Amino acid sequence: MISRCGLMQKKEGMDMEEFKDYWLNVHGLIASTMANLRQYDQHVVVENEHRSACAQGPVMIDGYSELQFDSYGDMVEGVASLHGEGANDVPMFANPHCPILVLTKRTVMKIPAYLQGKKLIQCVSFLGRADGVSSERFAKEWWNIHDHLVHTIPGCVGCNQNLVIDRIDGGVSVSYDELPVEGMVELWFETPEALDEFYASPEFARASVHRAEFVGAINTYLTETYPVALPSA
């Protein structure tokens, strides 16, 4: 399964409620008709506090879309099936410059069954590579070492590590230097207190020492997730 994530900024002069209303209730219905689409979620930013000692990266958003497909080819077919209609609609509510991250998803810590369907706090971070770190080393450190450290940190009830496999800007693939994001991590918490416990813990501090070996800049957001019903669902 891969995810196509659009990095959204609200239209200049539009407030968050207007942005959210149009995105959820108008644009979402258009995008939901894509061929091959398996799942579609819209993630609205509710807090952008920087929670890391790392520098901030280039991802400045008011929300991000997440469209899931079985394969990259299915994604390409899905986007083409709209014949540009979804892209043409973006300037109505958002900055038309909307970079895309294509990611492969990996579950590190599955949300327990008893919490499925419950409203949780979602924390998402977009990660860049540290200077001199290759994409291969980033993936090795993140997926083979850092994932084990996450399990030791208290407070978190779910974690996904999503690795970037393509970056699209202006409809074409671009290099890491043009869109320097290598990964995206999603964390879930039951309560604000659990979130604070996570970031204040010595286990998080230890994991941060390792993270600094391969991660450079970070952008962190708290988001609310709105699933979009698909026409065939």
Side-chain angles (χ1 to χ4, degrees):
M1 187 72 72
I2 66 166
S3 289
R4 176 186 173 94
C5 293
L7 308 179
M8 314 291 294
Q9 290 181 318
K10 62 184 178 64
K11 182 178 179 180
E12 186 175 356
M14 179 175 278
D15 65 34
M16 277 298 292
E17 285 306 311
E18 291 176 303
F19 166 77
K20 178 179 171 182
D21 180 64
Y22 194 99
W23 187 28
L24 300 185
N25 298 313
V26 180
H27 181 79
L29 298 180
I30 297 172
S32 71
T33 63
M34 276 190 189
N36 305 326
L37 186 58
R38 295 300 188 187
Q39 184 172 325
Y40 179 20
D41 295 299
Q42 294 168 315
H43 305 275
V44 179
V45 169
V46 295
E47 182 191 299
N48 60 1
E49 179 183 347
H50 190 58
R51 297 175 178 270
S52 172
C54 293
Q56 292 198 58
V59 180
M60 302 297 174
I61 59 171
D62 295 301
Y64 69 97
S65 57
E66 182 178 16
L67 299 97
Q68 296 187 40
F69 301 86
D70 287 336
S71 69
Y72 193 98
D74 281 355
M75 180 195 76
V76 172
E77 289 182 0
V79 174
S81 72
L82 291 184
H83 304 290
E85 186 178 359
N88 293 338
D89 184 59
V90 170
M92 297 296 295
F93 69 102
N95 184 337
H97 178 235
C98 178
I100 304 293
L101 297 174
V102 184
L103 310 117
T104 181
K105 299 183 72 70
R106 179 172 181 260
T107 299
V108 173
M109 187 184 303
K110 188 175 181 179
I111 297 172
Y114 75 91
L115 291 176
Q116 296 290 337
K118 182 176 179 181
K119 185 175 182 180
L120 300 173
I121 296 170
Q122 182 181 19
C123 181
V124 58
S125 294
F126 299 87
L127 314 176
R129 303 196 306 253
D131 290 343
V133 173
S134 66
S135 59
E136 293 79 11
R137 182 185 167 195
F138 182 98
K140 181 178 179 180
E141 296 283 351
W142 199 32
W143 276 14
N144 297 297
I145 301 174
H146 200 73
D147 56 344
H148 297 291
L149 296 175
V150 170
H151 279 280
T152 70
I153 307 174
C156 181
V157 296
C159 175
N160 287 342
Q161 289 177 322
N162 308 313
L163 191 66
V164 176
I165 59 173
D166 197 8
R167 304 163 186 86
I168 301 172
D169 200 352
V172 298
S173 293
V174 299
S175 68
Y176 173 82
D177 289 338
E178 293 174 272
L179 185 53
V181 183
E182 193 70 31
M184 182 180 80
V185 59
E186 300 166 284
L187 302 168
W188 286 271
F189 305 87
E190 281 194 78
T191 64
E193 291 76 18
L195 174 68
D196 292 340
E197 178 188 16
F198 179 89
Y199 279 101
S201 68
E203 292 87 355
F204 176 78
R206 285 197 292 270
S208 296
V209 172
H210 174 250
R211 183 189 63 196
E213 296 179 8
F214 66 99
V215 173
I218 296 179
N219 295 101
T220 297
Y221 298 93
L222 298 187
T223 64
E224 290 182 346
T225 298
Y226 296 85
V228 179
L230 304 184
S232 59

